[in-house]
Structures are given as C-alpha cells and as structure tokens.
Amino acid sequence: SSDLGSSCFSRGNRDNLGLIRRFLRERGLDGVVEVKGGLCRGTCGTGPHLDIDGTTYDGVDQQVCLDLLHRVFGREG
C-alpha cells in the first residue's frame, strides 16, 4: 500500500487497517467513514500512528485501535 507510511504499515498498521475496515463493515459504516493512508511523518519511534478526526494517536496496536474505534463509534454493533 504505497499511500501508507511504510514503517507504520510494517509495524502494525497493516493489521490495524484490516481491523478498521472489518469494524466499519460490521456496523454498516464502511460507506460513511472515510479511511485513507498518510505518508511517513518521520516519527517512527512512536508509531504506528492513527489519526481520527484530526487527533493523532501514537503506538497504536490492535487493542488500542479497537479501543479507539469503540470510543469513537460506540460498542454496539
């Protein structure tokens, strides 16, 4: 995926992307929420990074990603 920062992608955002897409699809939000990649920011030591509505989260593993999704979209599904 050339539009994603390669370090973050290899350090976990590949798995996070699948998790996000699955989460949105299961809730019927995949056509409502825009998911897009970003270029490397040069802050590899604190990645993977995830931006949600203008807020950047660092060190996002799958559990953190899922917690963030539940916080933003609610736990019902």
Side-chain angles (χ1 to χ4, degrees):
S1 184
S2 61
D3 63 341
L4 294 173
S6 58
S7 175
C8 286
F9 194 67
S10 65
R11 291 180 63 183
N13 267 352
R14 173 189 295 115
D15 297 326
N16 288 340
L17 181 59
L19 180 85
I20 292 166
R21 287 183 172 155
R22 188 170 50 253
F23 181 95
L24 295 175
R25 187 175 53 249
E26 289 172 354
R27 287 157 179 78
L29 298 171
D30 49 342
V32 179
V33 176
E34 180 182 13
V35 177
K36 63 182 181 178
L39 298 176
C40 181
R41 298 175 183 172
T43 54
C44 303
T46 58
H49 308 286
L50 183 63
D51 292 339
I52 301 176
D53 289 335
T55 300
T56 299
Y57 301 91
D58 301 325
V60 180
D61 62 18
Q62 284 193 13
Q63 186 59 54
V64 170
C65 184
L66 191 58
D67 290 346
L68 288 169
L69 292 170
H70 283 302
R71 187 183 319 161
V72 171
F73 298 105
R75 294 201 173 265
E76 299 301 315

